[in-house]
Amino acid sequence: GAGVSQSPSNKVTEKGKDVELRCDPISGHTALYWYRQSLGQGLEFLIYFQGNSAPDKSGLPSDRFSAERTGGSVSTLTIQRTQQEDSAVYLCASSLAGGIRHNSPLHFGNGTRLTVT
Amino acid sequence: AQSVTQLDSQVPVFEEAPVELRCNYSSSVSVYLFWYVQYPNQGLQLLLKYLSGSTLVESINGFEAEFNKSQTSFHLRKPSVHISDTAEYFCAVIESNFGNEKLTFGTGTRLTIIP
């Protein structure tokens, strides 16, 4: 079956512009996660959704970052006024209801590589 | 707060030799532990996990990891590696307190198999 789909796969933008990154989770997965992977860094947690609600937004780096999820499915991560330090691979993952703690592994997309020039 | 340390950023190993990738975690409560693998040009995927029960867990491709609570470690081992094991391996931890879904990853270890 289809896995987690992210678009675009690559995005180059100028400093100061806004960008939107999209994630289509696996059908039926109610839990959705956004992570960021920078060069030489581990995966940095950004935000977690259960359905359309985001019980944990603790990882969003600044108020320039926001995310929403509609219909319990597609999620969009928006970065406003991009900065060069925002350059990274943004990964989306989904899991079944109950999430990680209930024995449901994360299924990752291939990510969006964002380059801010 | 939970955290994970992978001390080795790169590990080169000869084919058919054994390997150990180290992972240490920090947490004030009980945890669940995971190893994820990223093969070249592929997305991250779960390799194995420890949730409860036996402290020794195994994957289908010959890797194993042992949860050691006293040493706060979850090292990944394989007795004989193959070229196809070339990948980046990430250790991850999540605290078991109710409602927590924040999986914290280490910085990864790039395993390179030398023919």
Side-chain angles (χ1 to χ4, degrees):
Chain A
V4 176
S5 177
Q6 291 188 246
S7 60
S9 55
N10 279 285
K11 176 72 177 179
V12 180
T13 189
E14 292 180 353
K15 178 181 172 181
K17 295 284 179 69
D18 297 352
V19 295
E20 279 192 358
L21 311 180
R22 177 187 168 104
C23 172
D24 281 276
I26 293 172
S27 178
H29 282 194
T30 59
L32 186 146
Y33 308 76
W34 283 99
Y35 281 83
R36 177 168 74 173
Q37 186 176 20
S38 305
L39 193 62
Q41 308 270 341
L43 278 75
E44 177 188 3
F45 171 84
L46 298 178
I47 189 169
Y48 156 68
F49 287 92
Q50 183 61 257
N52 292 335
S53 301
D56 192 343
K57 304 179 183 179
S58 62
L60 294 177
S62 74
D63 59 8
R64 296 188 295 105
F65 287 72
S66 63
E68 65 174 14
R69 190 178 185 195
T70 54
S73 180
V74 172
S75 176
T76 303
L77 177 69
T78 301
I79 309 172
Q80 296 178 309
R81 305 181 301 283
T82 52
Q83 303 294 313
Q84 288 187 331
E85 61 262 28
D86 299 335
S87 296
V89 176
Y90 289 81
L91 293 168
C92 177
S94 68
S95 71
L96 288 168
I100 304 162
R101 296 175 54 255
H102 295 85
N103 205 16
S104 301
L106 296 187
H107 296 262
F108 282 86
N110 287 335
T112 294
R113 182 175 297 278
L114 175 66
T115 304
V116 182
T117 61
Chain B
Q2 60 200 36
S3 67
V4 178
T5 301
Q6 292 182 251
L7 290 173
D8 306 307
S9 59
Q10 296 190 61
V11 174
V13 181
F14 285 103
E15 194 173 10
E16 298 184 3
V19 68
E20 178 180 84
L21 306 183
R22 295 180 292 169
C23 171
N24 288 89
Y25 69 91
S26 174
S27 174
S28 57
V29 300
S30 58
V31 298
Y32 304 139
L33 293 155
F34 305 81
W35 277 97
Y36 277 79
V37 58
Q38 187 171 26
Y39 297 105
N41 302 314
Q42 295 186 29
L44 277 156
Q45 55 188 282
L46 180 66
L47 182 64
L48 48 74
K49 61 180 181 278
Y50 169 77
L51 300 181
S52 64
S54 172
T55 57
L56 184 65
V57 291
E58 298 177 352
S59 72
I60 58 173
N61 60 350
F63 281 93
E64 64 178 31
E66 185 160 21
F67 169 51
N68 187 319
K69 188 175 181 179
S70 63
Q71 296 187 6
T72 61
S73 68
F74 192 55
H75 301 329
L76 182 69
R77 302 183 181 95
K78 188 170 185 179
S80 175
V81 295
H82 189 266
I83 290 287
S84 61
D85 294 325
T86 296
E88 188 149 20
Y89 292 80
F90 294 89
C91 183
V93 64
I94 185 169
E95 292 179 335
S96 61
N97 45 299
F98 180 78
N100 179 36
E101 286 291 331
K102 182 176 176 178
L103 188 62
T104 298
F105 286 85
T107 51
T109 298
R110 186 171 300 276
L111 176 63
T112 302
I113 309 302
I114 306 166

PDB file of all heavy atoms in Angstrom, chain A residues 40-58:
ATOM      1  N   GLY A  40      24.539  16.797  10.386  1.00  0.00           N
ATOM      2  CA  GLY A  40      25.292  16.541  11.605  1.00  0.00           C
ATOM      3  C   GLY A  40      24.449  16.497  12.868  1.00  0.00           C
ATOM      4  O   GLY A  40      24.986  16.301  13.962  1.00  0.00           O
ATOM      5  N   GLN A  41      23.155  16.678  12.724  1.00  0.00           N
ATOM      6  CA  GLN A  41      22.256  16.655  13.883  1.00  0.00           C
ATOM      7  C   GLN A  41      21.373  15.421  13.806  1.00  0.00           C
ATOM      8  O   GLN A  41      21.178  14.841  12.754  1.00  0.00           O
ATOM      9  CB  GLN A  41      21.362  17.896  13.889  1.00  0.00           C
ATOM     10  CG  GLN A  41      22.097  19.203  13.758  1.00  0.00           C
ATOM     11  CD  GLN A  41      22.476  19.766  15.090  1.00  0.00           C
ATOM     12  OE1 GLN A  41      21.927  19.395  16.110  1.00  0.00           O
ATOM     13  NE2 GLN A  41      23.443  20.667  15.099  1.00  0.00           N
ATOM     14  N   GLY A  42      20.817  15.047  14.932  1.00  0.00           N
ATOM     15  CA  GLY A  42      19.825  13.985  14.933  1.00  0.00           C
ATOM     16  C   GLY A  42      18.506  14.512  14.428  1.00  0.00           C
ATOM     17  O   GLY A  42      18.408  15.636  13.936  1.00  0.00           O
ATOM     18  N   LEU A  43      17.499  13.699  14.547  1.00  0.00           N
ATOM     19  CA  LEU A  43      16.160  14.138  14.184  1.00  0.00           C
ATOM     20  C   LEU A  43      15.592  14.965  15.324  1.00  0.00           C
ATOM     21  O   LEU A  43      15.529  14.514  16.462  1.00  0.00           O
ATOM     22  CB  LEU A  43      15.258  12.937  13.923  1.00  0.00           C
ATOM     23  CG  LEU A  43      15.362  12.310  12.546  1.00  0.00           C
ATOM     24  CD1 LEU A  43      16.630  11.496  12.425  1.00  0.00           C
ATOM     25  CD2 LEU A  43      14.157  11.459  12.258  1.00  0.00           C
ATOM     26  N   GLU A  44      15.165  16.158  15.004  1.00  0.00           N
ATOM     27  CA  GLU A  44      14.649  17.092  15.989  1.00  0.00           C
ATOM     28  C   GLU A  44      13.125  17.099  15.920  1.00  0.00           C
ATOM     29  O   GLU A  44      12.540  17.421  14.877  1.00  0.00           O
ATOM     30  CB  GLU A  44      15.204  18.486  15.693  1.00  0.00           C
ATOM     31  CG  GLU A  44      14.709  19.590  16.579  1.00  0.00           C
ATOM     32  CD  GLU A  44      15.184  20.950  16.073  1.00  0.00           C
ATOM     33  OE1 GLU A  44      15.835  21.019  15.009  1.00  0.00           O
ATOM     34  OE2 GLU A  44      14.875  21.957  16.735  1.00  0.00           O
ATOM     35  N   PHE A  45      12.476  16.743  17.021  1.00  0.00           N
ATOM     36  CA  PHE A  45      11.016  16.717  17.076  1.00  0.00           C
ATOM     37  C   PHE A  45      10.459  18.134  16.938  1.00  0.00           C
ATOM     38  O   PHE A  45      10.955  19.061  17.579  1.00  0.00           O
ATOM     39  CB  PHE A  45      10.582  16.116  18.412  1.00  0.00           C
ATOM     40  CG  PHE A  45       9.111  16.227  18.707  1.00  0.00           C
ATOM     41  CD1 PHE A  45       8.222  15.296  18.215  1.00  0.00           C
ATOM     42  CD2 PHE A  45       8.624  17.267  19.491  1.00  0.00           C
ATOM     43  CE1 PHE A  45       6.871  15.395  18.497  1.00  0.00           C
ATOM     44  CE2 PHE A  45       7.276  17.383  19.775  1.00  0.00           C
ATOM     45  CZ  PHE A  45       6.399  16.439  19.278  1.00  0.00           C
ATOM     46  N   LEU A  46       9.446  18.277  16.098  1.00  0.00           N
ATOM     47  CA  LEU A  46       8.803  19.578  15.926  1.00  0.00           C
ATOM     48  C   LEU A  46       7.403  19.595  16.535  1.00  0.00           C
ATOM     49  O   LEU A  46       7.089  20.429  17.388  1.00  0.00           O
ATOM     50  CB  LEU A  46       8.727  19.943  14.438  1.00  0.00           C
ATOM     51  CG  LEU A  46      10.056  20.092  13.706  1.00  0.00           C
ATOM     52  CD1 LEU A  46       9.822  20.409  12.238  1.00  0.00           C
ATOM     53  CD2 LEU A  46      10.924  21.158  14.354  1.00  0.00           C
ATOM     54  N   ILE A  47       6.532  18.677  16.093  1.00  0.00           N
ATOM     55  CA  ILE A  47       5.143  18.717  16.526  1.00  0.00           C
ATOM     56  C   ILE A  47       4.502  17.353  16.304  1.00  0.00           C
ATOM     57  O   ILE A  47       4.941  16.584  15.446  1.00  0.00           O
ATOM     58  CB  ILE A  47       4.368  19.810  15.762  1.00  0.00           C
ATOM     59  CG1 ILE A  47       2.963  20.035  16.341  1.00  0.00           C
ATOM     60  CG2 ILE A  47       4.295  19.491  14.276  1.00  0.00           C
ATOM     61  CD1 ILE A  47       2.277  21.292  15.792  1.00  0.00           C
ATOM     62  N   TYR A  48       3.483  17.066  17.112  1.00  0.00           N
ATOM     63  CA  TYR A  48       2.762  15.802  17.042  1.00  0.00           C
ATOM     64  C   TYR A  48       1.264  16.091  16.964  1.00  0.00           C
ATOM     65  O   TYR A  48       0.757  16.938  17.708  1.00  0.00           O
ATOM     66  CB  TYR A  48       3.092  14.974  18.278  1.00  0.00           C
ATOM     67  CG  TYR A  48       2.059  13.938  18.682  1.00  0.00           C
ATOM     68  CD1 TYR A  48       1.813  12.828  17.886  1.00  0.00           C
ATOM     69  CD2 TYR A  48       1.340  14.074  19.870  1.00  0.00           C
ATOM     70  CE1 TYR A  48       0.881  11.882  18.262  1.00  0.00           C
ATOM     71  CE2 TYR A  48       0.396  13.136  20.249  1.00  0.00           C
ATOM     72  CZ  TYR A  48       0.171  12.039  19.449  1.00  0.00           C
ATOM     73  OH  TYR A  48      -0.750  11.100  19.816  1.00  0.00           O
ATOM     74  N   PHE A  49       0.565  15.414  16.080  1.00  0.00           N
ATOM     75  CA  PHE A  49      -0.887  15.507  15.959  1.00  0.00           C
ATOM     76  C   PHE A  49      -1.521  14.172  16.310  1.00  0.00           C
ATOM     77  O   PHE A  49      -1.033  13.111  15.926  1.00  0.00           O
ATOM     78  CB  PHE A  49      -1.295  15.841  14.514  1.00  0.00           C
ATOM     79  CG  PHE A  49      -1.019  17.251  14.093  1.00  0.00           C
ATOM     80  CD1 PHE A  49       0.170  17.586  13.474  1.00  0.00           C
ATOM     81  CD2 PHE A  49      -1.962  18.243  14.308  1.00  0.00           C
ATOM     82  CE1 PHE A  49       0.414  18.891  13.066  1.00  0.00           C
ATOM     83  CE2 PHE A  49      -1.727  19.549  13.910  1.00  0.00           C
ATOM     84  CZ  PHE A  49      -0.531  19.867  13.284  1.00  0.00           C
ATOM     85  N   GLN A  50      -2.639  14.257  17.026  1.00  0.00           N
ATOM     86  CA  GLN A  50      -3.513  13.107  17.189  1.00  0.00           C
ATOM     87  C   GLN A  50      -4.850  13.553  16.593  1.00  0.00           C
ATOM     88  O   GLN A  50      -5.526  14.412  17.158  1.00  0.00           O
ATOM     89  CB  GLN A  50      -3.652  12.713  18.659  1.00  0.00           C
ATOM     90  CG  GLN A  50      -4.500  11.472  18.895  1.00  0.00           C
ATOM     91  CD  GLN A  50      -3.946  10.234  18.224  1.00  0.00           C
ATOM     92  OE1 GLN A  50      -4.423   9.782  17.172  1.00  0.00           O
ATOM     93  NE2 GLN A  50      -2.937   9.640  18.828  1.00  0.00           N
ATOM     94  N   GLY A  51      -5.215  12.972  15.470  1.00  0.00           N
ATOM     95  CA  GLY A  51      -6.336  13.530  14.728  1.00  0.00           C
ATOM     96  C   GLY A  51      -5.955  14.912  14.237  1.00  0.00           C
ATOM     97  O   GLY A  51      -4.861  15.114  13.714  1.00  0.00           O
ATOM     98  N   ASN A  52      -6.846  15.886  14.431  1.00  0.00           N
ATOM     99  CA  ASN A  52      -6.563  17.266  14.019  1.00  0.00           C
ATOM    100  C   ASN A  52      -5.968  18.107  15.139  1.00  0.00           C
ATOM    101  O   ASN A  52      -5.643  19.282  14.922  1.00  0.00           O
ATOM    102  CB  ASN A  52      -7.842  17.942  13.526  1.00  0.00           C
ATOM    103  CG  ASN A  52      -8.355  17.340  12.228  1.00  0.00           C
ATOM    104  OD1 ASN A  52      -7.587  16.773  11.458  1.00  0.00           O
ATOM    105  ND2 ASN A  52      -9.644  17.446  11.998  1.00  0.00           N
ATOM    106  N   SER A  53      -5.829  17.510  16.319  1.00  0.00           N
ATOM    107  CA  SER A  53      -5.328  18.261  17.465  1.00  0.00           C
ATOM    108  C   SER A  53      -3.827  18.054  17.622  1.00  0.00           C
ATOM    109  O   SER A  53      -3.306  16.983  17.317  1.00  0.00           O
ATOM    110  CB  SER A  53      -6.023  17.807  18.745  1.00  0.00           C
ATOM    111  OG  SER A  53      -7.404  17.978  18.655  1.00  0.00           O
ATOM    112  N   ALA A  54      -3.174  19.078  18.117  1.00  0.00           N
ATOM    113  CA  ALA A  54      -1.727  19.013  18.331  1.00  0.00           C
ATOM    114  C   ALA A  54      -1.440  19.104  19.826  1.00  0.00           C
ATOM    115  O   ALA A  54      -1.204  20.202  20.347  1.00  0.00           O
ATOM    116  CB  ALA A  54      -1.022  20.134  17.579  1.00  0.00           C
ATOM    117  N   PRO A  55      -1.449  17.960  20.535  1.00  0.00           N
ATOM    118  CA  PRO A  55      -1.203  18.002  21.977  1.00  0.00           C
ATOM    119  C   PRO A  55       0.215  18.392  22.354  1.00  0.00           C
ATOM    120  O   PRO A  55       0.458  18.773  23.486  1.00  0.00           O
ATOM    121  CB  PRO A  55      -1.510  16.577  22.441  1.00  0.00           C
ATOM    122  CG  PRO A  55      -1.662  15.747  21.235  1.00  0.00           C
ATOM    123  CD  PRO A  55      -1.745  16.611  20.055  1.00  0.00           C
ATOM    124  N   ASP A  56       1.152  18.270  21.406  1.00  0.00           N
ATOM    125  CA  ASP A  56       2.542  18.590  21.716  1.00  0.00           C
ATOM    126  C   ASP A  56       3.140  19.413  20.577  1.00  0.00           C
ATOM    127  O   ASP A  56       3.441  18.879  19.517  1.00  0.00           O
ATOM    128  CB  ASP A  56       3.349  17.312  21.955  1.00  0.00           C
ATOM    129  CG  ASP A  56       4.725  17.599  22.556  1.00  0.00           C
ATOM    130  OD1 ASP A  56       5.179  18.763  22.495  1.00  0.00           O
ATOM    131  OD2 ASP A  56       5.345  16.658  23.074  1.00  0.00           O
ATOM    132  N   LYS A  57       3.301  20.720  20.834  1.00  0.00           N
ATOM    133  CA  LYS A  57       3.926  21.613  19.863  1.00  0.00           C
ATOM    134  C   LYS A  57       5.282  22.077  20.376  1.00  0.00           C
ATOM    135  O   LYS A  57       5.845  23.047  19.867  1.00  0.00           O
ATOM    136  CB  LYS A  57       3.066  22.869  19.653  1.00  0.00           C
ATOM    137  CG  LYS A  57       1.640  22.621  19.240  1.00  0.00           C
ATOM    138  CD  LYS A  57       0.900  23.937  19.088  1.00  0.00           C
ATOM    139  CE  LYS A  57      -0.556  23.718  18.750  1.00  0.00           C
ATOM    140  NZ  LYS A  57      -1.298  24.989  18.611  1.00  0.00           N
ATOM    141  N   SER A  58       5.794  21.377  21.369  1.00  0.00           N
ATOM    142  CA  SER A  58       6.945  21.882  22.105  1.00  0.00           C
ATOM    143  C   SER A  58       8.204  22.019  21.271  1.00  0.00           C
ATOM    144  O   SER A  58       9.115  22.754  21.630  1.00  0.00           O
ATOM    145  CB  SER A  58       7.233  20.972  23.311  1.00  0.00           C
ATOM    146  OG  SER A  58       7.561  19.666  22.865  1.00  0.00           O
TER     147      SER A  58
END
